[in-house]
Amino acid sequence: MIRPGAIGDLIVSLPALESLRRDYLEVWVPSRAVPLVRFADRVRSIASTGLDLLGVVDPPAGLVEELRRFDSIVSWYGANRREFRELIDALKLPCRFFPALPPDGATMHATDFYLDQVRDLCGHLCGPACDATPRIRCGVPRGNFAAIHPFSGSARKNWPLEKFRQVARGLERILPVCWCAGPDDPPLAGAVRIDDLYELACWLAEARLYVGNDSGITHLAAAVGTPVLALFGPTDPAVWAPRGPNVRVARWKA
């Protein structure tokens, strides 16, 4: 399976990926997401395989032969690159492409969208009773703090930082508050920054509560089972809200 995209895109597609588990499974994802895929026999970064060079320059030696050894390749990578798909067809590789994102105007939740894509590939394993909740298992005890991540991959999705500070002041009457930020986020004094996403997931799993924007880290907190308050602005939560029994969504307007 070849799954490009941002952190949140990967997480909402985890049930679909896991439903395709067979005797041997490899998953190729963006470099930063490699630690999050725990169910595959082997996980590789797309960049390390040289796949992103295929159809652009001569691919690394052995890449095509390596792809040919698979019985089936399911790819969300290259779905919008006609020349890439035509090259894969010309090489007679056993590859099936799926759109990497739900279409504009979609109303189905993204997790269900990806499960529907692979339903005919996974048979009974992806029936109506399929677990459609993304899960990342950490096995750490719950701690006694609230985690706040006030950023996202797009400034337009960010609730004002001062409003997060107001929430933090209220929470501090009940329990300690820890701020967190990613490697590409703006400076934030005292913020916890953990580059390895699985290590970050385990830290989030210790939190008693998580508050954040529509972001990959919010999806990560939900996937480890932490109670989540997700703050959505322009994005449709019917499609992109984190999914889980402990998730609540609040909408805000600019």
Side-chain angles (χ1 to χ4, degrees), residues 118-147:
V118 303
R119 199 170 298 278
D120 66 325
L121 300 178
C122 58
H124 70 282
L125 295 177
C126 192
C130 180
D131 185 358
T133 300
R135 300 184 192 279
I136 298 173
R137 295 161 181 84
C138 292
V140 298
R142 188 78 69 207
N144 188 42
F145 66 94

Side-chain angles (χ1 to χ4, degrees), residues 73-88:
I73 301 169
V74 178
S75 182
W76 288 267
Y77 179 90
N80 292 326
R81 291 174 54 197
R82 186 181 67 181
E83 71 284 356
F84 182 86
R85 299 196 312 273
E86 290 175 348
L87 177 59
I88 294 295

Side-chain angles (χ1 to χ4, degrees), residues 22 50 56 66-67 72 85 94 101 124 127 131 164 179 196-197 217 224 237-238 242 246-247:
R22 293 297 184 269
V56 179
E66 184 174 10
L67 290 169
S72 178
R85 299 196 312 273
L101 292 171
H124 70 282
D131 185 358
F164 276 106
W179 297 79
D196 183 287
L197 285 177
I217 306 307
V224 299
N246 300 320
V247 174

